[in-house]
Amino acid sequence: MKRASPWRWAALSGLLYGLSFPSFTQLHLEPLAWFCWVPWLLALRGPVSWGQAAGSGWLALWIGTAIATRWLLVVQPGVGLFVFTVQSALMLPILLLFFAVRRLVGWRRALWVLPPLWTGWEWLLTRQPLHTPLAFFGYSQANWYGLIQYCDLVGVWGIACWLVLFNVLIARAWAQAAEGRTGMTRRLLPRLIAIALPMLALPAGYGWYRIGELEPRLAQAPRITIALVQPNVGYGGKEQESQRDYVKAMEQMVIRSTESIIAHHPDLVVWPEATLPFDVSTQAAVRDYLLLVVERWNVPLILGFQERLDERHLYNSALLVTPQLARYARDLPRDQPPRLKVYRKQELVPFAEQVPFADRVPALEALALPIDGATSLILKGDPVATRFAFRDHQGVKRWAGVRICYEVLYPAGTARLVADGAAMLTVISNDGPFGRSTATLQLAAYSRILAISTRRSLARCANTGLTLFADPLGRLYGSVPRWEEQVAVGSVALGNDLSLYVRYPDLFPAACLGAAVLGALLAWVRMGRAARAS
């Protein structure tokens, strides 16, 4: 590759990076991630200023983020442009730190710092409220479940580290092959083969081994039948319903669909996120009606609802209603409502669902971005692992973990649920605001990584789709078409083993961060010694 200004190569890297994410139903471009950063890395071999490195790096990240999450423009163009700009700026320190090390010890040595640095920095970003992990590198490989079975060891962080290492090895091979004046292709091809074979064979071999080992266990694992109700109600439709007539609307939308499958005797019914746009615990008419139908069905129900505190603030919550609770509530005095088991969403979309640091500086709430004309702010739930316990048709007690929409991008919280005893996972989502964009394809694909890393079956219920199931190997099944009123019924395997990732969800990324810091310190010490020697 001819050395030149890094801008054109940054644009190419950003294009390849963005296209590698799962956005298409038939076209799989995930292999682009294996070498997407090679053009930009090679452009930094020659004399490049700090300004060129920072500007070109930010350009690559902005283009990549914009392409990977282009569906944000469907939600609202201003929101999308804001997210692209902020998130690429938050990722830029990875490339700047690499460039700093490159100036200390040279391009070839600095490349080895990049894989742990990238992995550790992404992990750090999940621990602060400004960043959204929608375009984290590891998620680009979500649909290639055969290659990413090692998520049960290191989570999505292991995929990111593997991808960056792949890029580093190819960049080094390209640079070595380009040193001669002629015959570059002849020198490059054997090097690329020597890199690709072990880099693909190792994860593929582990995947083959784990799939072969776990399939017999899944065949013998205890199972329950779950019904996922997809009412096909868009975002605005629910907002427009008044509280007074919502019981009737709810019956038309989800009660009808649920009653159509009760004869099949599911062990659990799941409704999507924000099925009820108001607080069940305070709206007695809706709560009583809900308890009545659950008692009649004799099937536990998980559903999403909103706990509104005032005109601007609310909790995005999930609720479990069991037949046992319904029968118990029937005998209570009217002025003593039953205590409901509630989970409140903990991971919130910055500037859309919550404004970072607004709890300390309330004036910051003015920065909230409107979504579909609404600017309600969601409060963060308590950081506790909330499991839902229910009994199946045989009377056996089962435990389910619940995640709400965007929380699939925060696997550590799910790992805590599984470590606390969740035998399967449910994800409820409101995908109506995304329209017919690729957003729901991405979020559904990301659920694969959650299932693999925790080795738990997953049931995803979305109001407009995609509604589907994933087994502990990340294989999807039982999906129903988007934008149709449908019910997906599936048999779900229950698990009790804890993967290495579930036991130690932060071990690998923290170790990567430590390795990157150590590498940078060694580079600084080496530079100091060289300066003193001269």
Side-chain angles (χ1 to χ4, degrees):
M1 180 179 293
K2 183 180 178 181
R3 297 186 189 183
S5 171
W7 298 97
R8 70 181 69 177
W9 304 119
L12 177 59
S13 284
L15 175 65
L16 298 175
Y17 181 75
L19 290 175
S20 69
F21 282 79
S23 301
F24 309 98
T25 55
Q26 302 297 329
L27 187 61
H28 290 279
L29 300 177
E30 288 87 345
L32 295 178
W34 305 349
F35 56 86
C36 62
W37 284 101
V38 171
W40 185 80
L41 291 174
L42 290 174
L44 262 63
R45 285 183 296 160
V48 176
S49 67
W50 271 102
Q52 288 178 317
S56 63
W58 178 81
L59 176 66
L61 290 166
W62 194 96
I63 292 175
T65 304
I67 294 174
T69 59
R70 58 193 179 277
W71 49 267
L72 286 170
L73 298 174
V74 175
V75 179
Q76 187 165 314
V79 173
L81 294 174
F82 177 83
V83 170
F84 303 159
T85 303
V86 172
Q87 304 315 319
S88 55
L90 290 173
M91 290 288 288
L92 183 59
I94 298 174
L95 306 184
L96 292 182
L97 289 170
F98 160 72
F99 185 70
V101 176
R102 171 244 188 225
R103 290 173 66 92
L104 291 174
V105 297
W107 182 80
R108 292 183 187 275
R109 290 192 179 96
L111 286 174
W112 298 120
V113 177
L114 194 54
L117 174 60
W118 190 297
T119 306
W121 187 262
E122 283 192 340
W123 173 68
L124 278 182
L125 288 178
T126 65
R127 308 176 79 82
Q128 53 79 41
L130 287 170
H131 194 73
T132 172
L134 287 166
F136 272 11
F137 207 2
Y139 287 117
S140 66
Q141 307 298 294
N143 277 329
W144 286 47
Y145 70 90
L147 276 179
I148 60 172
Q149 292 296 315
Y150 59 91
C151 282
D152 64 355
L153 302 176
V154 289
V156 68
W157 315 116
I159 307 176
C161 191
W162 174 75
L163 287 172
V164 180
L165 179 61
F166 215 149
N167 278 263
V168 163
L169 293 175
I170 293 176
R172 285 177 60 89
W174 193 297
Q176 291 170 356
E179 289 176 353
R181 294 185 178 181
T182 60
M184 176 181 170
T185 303
R186 186 176 66 254
R187 292 190 301 273
L188 178 61
L189 187 58
R191 287 183 170 91
L192 294 181
I193 294 174
I195 291 169
L197 283 178
M199 289 297 292
L200 296 175
L202 288 175
Y206 181 80
W208 175 81
Y209 165 74
R210 287 295 279 163
I211 291 173
E213 180 187 37
L214 292 176
E215 275 190 327
R217 296 189 196 177
L218 293 178
Q220 299 178 5
R223 289 180 172 268
I224 60 173
T225 300
I226 299 180
L228 308 175
V229 178
Q230 178 179 294
N232 192 31
V233 179
Y235 186 76
K238 289 186 292 189
E239 291 292 320
Q240 293 163 3
E241 297 292 346
S242 67
Q243 294 184 6
R244 185 175 60 183
D245 63 3
Y246 190 80
V247 170
K248 181 178 179 180
M250 180 174 64
E251 184 173 6
Q252 294 174 349
M253 292 184 293
V254 290
I255 300 291
R256 178 179 66 242
S257 297
T258 304
E259 290 191 333
S260 69
I261 50 88
I262 289 299
H264 297 282
H265 304 294
D267 297 292
L268 176 67
V269 173
V270 181
W271 291 352
E273 175 189 10
T275 305
L276 306 181
F278 43 84
D279 193 348
V280 177
S281 61
T282 60
Q283 298 297 319
V286 178
R287 182 187 64 241
D288 293 345
Y289 184 75
L290 200 58
L291 292 168
L292 177 66
V293 294
V294 169
E295 183 179 11
R296 185 175 77 231
W297 295 335
N298 196 33
V299 177
L301 170 67
I302 292 176
L303 72 151
F305 73 104
Q306 295 178 350
E307 297 179 79
R308 185 165 289 279
L309 304 181
D310 53 47
E311 292 184 357
R312 188 166 175 80
H313 301 91
L314 56 89
Y315 287 110
N316 189 355
S317 305
L319 167 71
L320 171 69
V321 182
T322 65
Q324 293 79 13
L325 174 65
R327 288 189 285 270
Y328 170 75
R330 185 180 55 192
D331 299 328
L332 290 176
R334 291 288 297 175
D335 59 346
Q336 295 182 15
R339 185 176 180 181
L340 303 176
K341 183 74 170 181
V342 172
Y343 167 74
R344 292 169 173 168
K345 187 178 181 182
Q346 298 173 15
E347 305 296 347
L348 307 175
V349 182
F351 298 101
E353 293 182 325
Q354 57 93 19
V355 177
F357 312 114
D359 55 337
R360 302 173 190 174
V361 186
L364 292 176
E365 289 188 356
L367 299 177
L369 299 171
I371 303 296
D372 202 30
T375 55
S376 294
L377 293 174
I378 298 176
L379 301 180
K380 188 172 184 176
D382 296 330
V384 294
T386 303
R387 300 171 301 158
F388 284 164
F390 62 94
R391 295 190 180 276
D392 62 18
H393 269 100
Q394 285 72 43
V396 180
K397 194 172 187 179
R398 307 297 189 185
W399 298 91
V402 177
R403 305 300 276 164
I404 301 177
C405 189
Y406 176 76
E407 290 184 313
V408 299
L409 298 168
Y410 292 84
T414 309
R416 288 193 296 270
L417 277 174
V418 173
D420 200 40
M424 54 83 57
L425 301 171
T426 59
V427 176
I428 58 175
S429 186
N430 173 20
D431 291 353
F434 307 139
R436 299 181 183 272
S437 70
T438 60
T440 188
L441 298 176
Q442 278 191 1
L443 293 173
Y446 295 167
S447 299
R448 291 178 183 261
I449 294 179
L450 207 60
I452 295 171
S453 59
T454 60
R455 293 302 181 193
R456 289 295 184 269
S457 297
L458 182 146
R460 184 181 195 270
C461 183
N463 56 339
T464 55
L466 282 169
T467 295
L468 47 75
F469 299 90
D471 71 6
L473 297 173
R475 298 176 298 195
L476 305 181
Y477 64 98
S479 64
V480 294
R482 289 194 292 169
W483 294 96
E484 293 183 13
E485 184 178 333
Q486 295 276 353
V487 178
V489 181
S491 175
V492 171
L494 304 178
N496 55 21
D497 294 337
L498 300 183
S499 67
L500 181 66
Y501 173 75
V502 167
R503 290 189 177 97
Y504 310 105
D506 296 325
L507 177 61
F508 182 77
C512 285
L513 185 63
V517 171
L518 179 61
L521 288 175
L522 291 176
W524 181 74
V525 170
R526 181 185 178 90
M527 182 67 176
R529 288 177 178 175
R532 288 193 298 270
S534 61

